[in-house]
């Protein structure tokens, strides 16, 4: 459903992501892991249209995304849960949810069933939410747009262990629902492998390794070397 071919881009004149080939299938979860600063967020931002590609091809269900704006890409079926969550401090939870809503399988009722805590916070402002609640709101907002593909940037970052446990079960439910595909950028490798079908390792803007998540033996201890942490 998503196909990137030799995707290259970055910020201003700086190339951060170079010649990346990426394929995500229907209802597939692809995890992206790698050291800090290797370009994982930039890759998601290139897909979402928050920065433009210098070269390469990018298609969603056969539709060329390259000429489309951020909003057109959202309408074409891309959802985004950004690393900094982008919750508006002066809008209520209810307002966040109604702005995001587009018709489809993920209705407000279905989303609040998955995230009941948000249902109790509907009249609270974004600024009154905990970090975990803000993350759940960012996920709820993306789901309500009824995307074909959801891009998740480090959802577990900064969350307390008990909240991460809840997040894992929420992400598992979203994936097993089978209605969308996911690209998950995640620092927690154990979590990335547990949730994804396949994973890729990025280093310095390029894909340096990929494998099926279920086949990868974390205990074998090859990861630091594969991630370029040993030199
Ligand atoms: N919005 C932005 N504007 C300008 N430069 C950016 C922006 N986002 C990232 N960069 C730069 O792109 C390079 C790659 O960073 P990026 O955030 O894509 O890596 P990452 O692998 O996601 O790292 P992290 O795990 O720390 O989030 C860095 O040099 C960073 O400073």
């Amino acid at each position: 459903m998503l196909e990137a071919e030799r995707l290259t881009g970055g910020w201003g004149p700086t190339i951060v992501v170079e010649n990346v080939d990426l394929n995500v299938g229907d209802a597939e979860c692809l995890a992206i892991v790698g050291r800090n600063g290797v370009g994982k967020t930039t890759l998601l931002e290139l897909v979402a249209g928050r920065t433009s590609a210098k070269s390469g091809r990018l298609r969603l269900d056969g539709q060329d995304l390259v000429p489309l704006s951020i909003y057109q890409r959202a309408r074409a079926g891309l959802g985004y849960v950004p690393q900094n969550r982008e919750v508006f401090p002066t809008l209520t939870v209810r307002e966040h949810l109604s702005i995001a809503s587009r018709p489809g399988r993920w209705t407000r009722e279905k989303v609040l069933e998955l995230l009941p805590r948000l249902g109790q916070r509907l009249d609270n402002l974004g600024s009154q939410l905990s970090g975990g609640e803000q993350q759940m709101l960012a996920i709820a907002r993306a789901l309500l747009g009824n995307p074909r593909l959801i891009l998740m940037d480090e959802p577990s970052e900064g969350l307390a262990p008990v909240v991460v446990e809840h997040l894992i079960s929420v992400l598992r439910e979203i994936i097993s629902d089978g209605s969308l595909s996911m690209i998950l950028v995640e620092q927690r490798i154990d979590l990335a492998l547990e949730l994804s079908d396949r994973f890729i390792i990025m280093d310095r803007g390029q894909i340096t390794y990929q494998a099926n998540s279920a086949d990868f033996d974390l205990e074998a201890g090859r990861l630091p070397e594969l991630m370029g942490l040993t030199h």
Side-chain angles (χ1 to χ4, degrees), residues 13 45 47 63 76-78 91 109 123 139 141 165-166 182 187 203 207:
E45 305 249 321
V47 174
Q63 182 180 9
L78 282 184
L91 293 187
E109 290 63 40
D123 294 313
I139 292 172
R141 179 173 57 185
E165 285 312 309
H166 177 52
M182 186 182 291
Q187 289 284 351
D203 195 11
I207 295 176

Side-chain angles (χ1 to χ4, degrees), residues 122-137:
L122 285 174
D123 294 313
N124 285 112
L125 297 174
S127 60
Q128 296 170 319
L129 304 180
S130 68
E133 288 167 341
Q134 290 191 358
Q135 186 59 273
M136 299 309 162
L137 178 55

Side-chain angles (χ1 to χ4, degrees), residues 5-9 19 53-57:
E5 248 178 81
R6 301 183 69 77
L7 191 63
T8 298
N19 290 328
K54 292 273 184 297
S55 60
R57 285 154 58 101

Side-chain angles (χ1 to χ4, degrees), residues 5 11 28 39 42 60 65 74 84 104 130-131 141 154 157 171 191 199 202 218 224 226-227:
E5 248 178 81
W11 306 97
E28 185 180 35
T42 303
L60 183 68
L65 293 181
N84 58 7
S130 68
R141 179 173 57 185
E154 302 202 16
E157 192 182 29
L171 294 182
L191 200 160
F199 75 103
M202 275 184 81
L218 200 52
L226 291 171
M227 287 176 68

Side-chain angles (χ1 to χ4, degrees), residues 1-21:
M1 54 106 55
L2 184 86
E3 293 166 280
E5 248 178 81
R6 301 183 69 77
L7 191 63
T8 298
W11 306 97
T14 311
I15 299 290
V16 175
V17 168
E18 213 174 348
N19 290 328
V20 163
D21 291 332

Side-chain angles (χ1 to χ4, degrees), residues 6-225:
R6 301 183 69 77
L7 191 63
T8 298
W11 306 97
T14 311
I15 299 290
V16 175
V17 168
E18 213 174 348
N19 290 328
V20 163
D21 291 332
L22 206 63
N23 266 291
V24 186
D26 277 329
E28 185 180 35
C29 176
L30 174 75
I32 304 180
V33 301
R35 292 176 295 141
N36 285 331
V38 297
K40 304 179 300 294
T41 296
T42 303
L43 178 56
L44 293 190
E45 305 249 321
L46 276 168
V47 174
R50 288 169 169 226
T51 185
S52 20
K54 292 273 184 297
S55 60
R57 285 154 58 101
L58 184 65
R59 294 179 174 274
L60 183 68
D61 291 329
Q63 182 180 9
D64 184 9
L65 293 181
V66 172
L68 303 188
S69 67
I70 298 175
Y71 306 102
Q72 288 168 327
R73 291 187 200 200
R75 275 201 293 276
L78 282 184
Y80 195 26
V81 180
Q83 192 167 8
N84 58 7
R85 291 152 200 168
E86 296 177 11
V87 164
F88 301 109
T90 57
L91 293 187
T92 63
V93 169
R94 191 188 304 279
E95 286 165 337
H96 280 90
L97 298 184
S98 58
I99 293 170
S101 190
R102 294 178 66 221
R105 177 172 175 79
W106 289 97
T107 60
R108 203 176 92 146
E109 290 63 40
K110 186 169 156 74
V111 166
L112 292 181
E113 211 173 285
L114 178 70
L115 301 163
R117 177 95 182 123
L118 281 184
Q120 297 158 16
R121 305 287 257 146
L122 285 174
D123 294 313
N124 285 112
L125 297 174
S127 60
Q128 296 170 319
L129 304 180
S130 68
E133 288 167 341
Q134 290 191 358
Q135 186 59 273
M136 299 309 162
L137 178 55
I139 292 172
R141 179 173 57 185
L143 286 175
L144 279 169
N146 278 289
R148 295 267 300 122
L149 171 69
I150 195 164
L151 309 169
M152 295 250 180
D153 200 354
E154 302 202 16
S156 74
E157 192 182 29
L159 302 182
V162 56
V163 184
V164 172
E165 285 312 309
H166 177 52
L167 174 77
I168 294 171
S169 70
V170 165
L171 294 182
R172 201 179 280 129
E173 276 200 53
I174 295 170
I175 294 162
S176 66
D177 186 66
S179 59
L180 50 75
S181 308
M182 186 182 291
I183 300 182
L184 173 68
V185 169
E186 183 50 62
Q187 289 284 351
R188 288 259 318 260
I189 312 287
D190 55 336
L191 200 160
L193 289 176
E194 182 185 330
L195 289 169
S196 62
D197 301 295
R198 274 187 309 128
F199 75 103
I200 64 178
I201 296 178
M202 275 184 81
D203 195 11
R204 290 177 221 158
Q206 299 186 324
I207 295 176
T208 53
Y209 183 81
Q210 46 188 315
N212 286 328
S213 305
D215 297 343
F216 190 79
D217 181 6
L218 200 52
E219 305 299 315
R222 289 177 63 215
L223 206 59
E225 184 196 340

